[in-house]
Amino acid sequence: MNTPSPAGRRTRPLRAALTGAAGALGLTIALLASGTLSVAQDRTDQGARELGEPDYGVCRGVDPRCYHDWGNFDASDGFRVLLYTRTAGPRHANLGPALAPGLNPPLTDANTVQNGVLRMGRDNGFQVDYTEDVSRLSSPAALFRYDAVVFYSTSRDALDDAAQTSLRQYVRGGGGFVGIHNAFGTEYNWPWYEGLLGNANFYDHGPAQPGTVRTVNRKDVSTRSLPASWSFSDEWYNLVPAPTRVRVLAEVDESTLAEGTAGNYRHPGHGDDHPVAWCHYYDGGRAWLTTLGHDARDFSTDGSFPGAAEFQRLVLGGIRSAMGQAPFCK
């Protein structure tokens, strides 16, 4: 069996004080052999380093051979996504009040995320169902009705055993997954899910504050209409571990964060290499991720909140590519 190459693997440079040429040479050889050190990177990262790079026992990375095109989705039926916003811990204000059981229960104006994604679907040719009822994820057959599943600021143990199994089988059958903001604060103790996030997990964040987002890849459908840099306000998640074997699409320029990068649990930030959006293939499926999306004003349409339009274009492209309506992870 051919094993996809780790061409898209994300690596982080190291700084180490070494004594003796023999010690330096030995360490360098060991790091190169393990893939921890990249000879292609020559910049010095001032942020957190050595955050781990576990192997989840699945095909993952940016090689499309990791994708399972097994005929579970038919574009002639149109495109449909399931938005899941269940919280079993902290609840972001932009989710509004908790939803009643079932599929597509009544919404209030305060359910900003749900209303925003519904509008996005109406305006761009795909149907959106939404729920916080874990029983709606109880079988792979239920999930295979959807071209992508979107977790938006879910929290803690938002899935039971049946839903965990269903999500894994859905992804393995070629399903699309989109994880937004506190999807990174979900299912902490499930290694497979951490891998789905790109080998990444939320650790902490500093003050919510304005910053500059750099669009580092402008070939992907989610970023090609974005400027090279744009202003935005968010919580700027610090991650442990930090993503590997992914295609990074956007980063925050930490030098523009006036209140600093250190999180409430003392994470120092990621220095020159602080990703906020990325994509990869994982265990047969497609996964598009962003740590952005904290503020209800992210879904404003009147131009009053800097970066809202760019954020919405970013998320729209991520959803469209994850569900196969547009090319994925270019």
Side-chain angles (χ1 to χ4, degrees):
M1 184 174 100
N2 291 328
T3 300
S5 67
R9 182 172 182 170
R10 185 174 178 79
T11 55
R12 294 177 179 275
L14 304 175
R15 290 186 306 168
L18 301 176
T19 58
L25 179 59
L27 179 58
T28 300
I29 292 172
L31 291 174
L32 287 171
S34 67
T36 304
L37 181 65
S38 170
V39 296
Q41 282 187 292
D42 56 4
R43 63 185 180 179
T44 301
D45 187 356
Q46 300 299 319
R49 300 178 297 280
E50 293 296 337
L51 296 181
E53 198 168 327
D55 184 357
Y56 299 93
V58 304
C59 187
R60 66 186 184 100
V62 298
D63 192 318
R65 288 179 294 174
C66 286
Y67 183 69
H68 294 164
D69 188 4
W70 291 348
N72 285 312
F73 306 95
D74 184 356
S76 67
D77 294 335
F79 291 91
R80 189 176 187 180
V81 303
L82 178 66
L83 172 65
Y84 189 58
T85 53
R86 179 182 176 87
T87 52
R91 187 174 179 88
H92 277 68
N94 60 1
L95 296 180
L99 302 185
L103 195 66
N104 301 330
L107 298 174
T108 71
D109 289 344
N111 295 117
T112 305
V113 165
Q114 296 88 342
N115 288 317
V117 177
L118 280 168
R119 182 180 69 246
M120 195 176 286
R122 286 194 301 267
D123 293 346
N124 293 278
F126 58 92
Q127 181 179 336
V128 177
D129 289 336
Y130 59 91
T131 191
E132 292 181 0
D133 186 344
V134 68
S135 71
R136 295 290 173 166
L137 287 70
S138 63
S139 73
L143 294 184
F144 277 121
R145 298 171 57 216
Y146 300 98
D147 300 281
V149 174
V150 180
F151 279 29
Y152 199 126
S153 285
T154 47
S155 68
R156 305 285 173 82
D157 294 330
L159 303 175
D160 59 16
D161 287 349
Q164 285 187 341
T165 300
S166 297
L167 180 64
R168 184 159 49 190
Q169 299 300 73
Y170 168 76
V171 170
R172 284 176 169 171
F177 178 82
V178 175
I180 302 174
H181 200 52
N182 208 51
F184 288 86
T186 299
E187 299 293 328
Y188 277 115
N189 299 311
W190 185 18
W192 182 89
Y193 181 81
E194 180 178 275
L196 180 64
L197 298 177
N199 175 41
N201 239 321
F202 169 74
Y203 178 76
D204 68 7
H205 63 75
Q209 59 184 306
T212 297
V213 176
R214 296 188 298 242
T215 309
V216 298
N217 181 313
R218 302 183 68 188
K219 296 180 181 179
D220 190 72
V221 66
S222 64
T223 52
R224 65 189 179 196
S225 68
L226 299 181
S229 62
W230 41 287
S231 298
F232 196 60
S233 291
D234 215 287
E235 294 176 317
W236 311 113
Y237 279 8
N238 294 318
L239 306 167
V240 177
T244 57
R245 301 188 192 179
V246 304
R247 176 158 286 125
V248 174
L249 303 171
E251 298 178 336
V252 60
D253 181 350
E254 288 190 353
S255 71
T256 65
L257 302 180
E259 296 182 65
T261 60
N264 49 308
Y265 296 137
R266 302 294 188 247
H267 191 298
H270 295 280
D272 296 332
D273 193 18
H274 191 147
V276 297
W278 58 90
C279 56
H280 67 135
Y281 295 96
Y282 185 78
D283 201 11
R286 308 181 185 104
W288 186 95
L289 298 312
T290 182
T291 60
L292 304 179
H294 168 73
D295 201 302
R297 293 170 294 177
D298 295 344
F299 286 94
S300 61
T301 57
D302 60 2
S304 61
F305 189 63
E310 288 82 359
F311 170 78
Q312 290 170 48
R313 293 203 298 272
L314 178 75
V315 169
L316 172 62
I319 293 174
R320 292 186 62 229
S321 65
M323 68 181 178
Q325 193 183 37
F328 180 72
C329 208
K330 297 300 184 183

